[in-house]
Amino acid sequence: METLKLSKPIMINGEEVTELPYDFENLTAKDKLNASKKMKAAGIPLSIPETDPDYHLYLFAEAVCKVNSAIDITDIMRMSAKDADKAASLARSFFYLDLAE
């Protein structure tokens, strides 16, 4: 399990949160499908998974929820844009950077 340190804290369940633990290693195929379903439900079309930063952000959200089920996708979507970019980059690096090699 790793942690993303937020540049701007967010409120989650009445508490100020400065870092988000996440766990990509234990995500399942179902978790990946849930990420794409949540995107579609939010009205965000999925393009090419390897290059879609929105999908990467949703994967990160699934990884956070895997560690702490009290955190919801709506909590993750309140992150600053800068933190969201970092989070999406973490997911892209974990899932897709090795595919180019």
Side-chain angles (χ1 to χ4, degrees):
M1 180 174 61
E2 298 184 54
T3 302
L4 170 64
K5 182 160 177 51
L6 301 174
S7 62
K8 183 178 178 186
I10 56 175
M11 294 298 289
I12 298 178
N13 301 321
E15 293 184 29
E16 185 177 85
V17 174
T18 59
E19 55 186 34
L20 292 170
Y22 61 93
D23 184 1
F24 292 127
E25 289 288 342
N26 288 308
L27 287 182
T28 64
K30 185 175 181 179
D31 294 325
K32 286 188 79 178
L33 290 174
N34 284 338
S36 61
K37 284 181 184 178
K38 289 175 183 176
M39 274 184 66
K40 290 175 189 171
I44 303 168
L46 177 62
S47 62
I48 302 167
E50 293 85 352
T51 61
D52 189 334
D54 295 332
Y55 180 58
H56 302 156
L57 181 57
Y58 274 79
L59 285 174
F60 176 81
E62 288 295 317
V64 169
C65 294
K66 194 73 161 181
V67 173
N68 185 346
S69 61
I71 296 176
D72 186 76
I73 186 79
T74 56
D75 296 319
I76 304 301
M77 294 304 148
R78 287 196 311 274
M79 287 191 301
S80 71
K82 182 178 180 179
D83 290 331
D85 279 347
K86 285 185 210 174
S89 179
L90 289 168
R92 180 179 178 272
S93 294
F94 182 85
F95 287 104
Y96 299 108
L97 280 187
D98 289 344
L99 292 181
E101 295 174 4

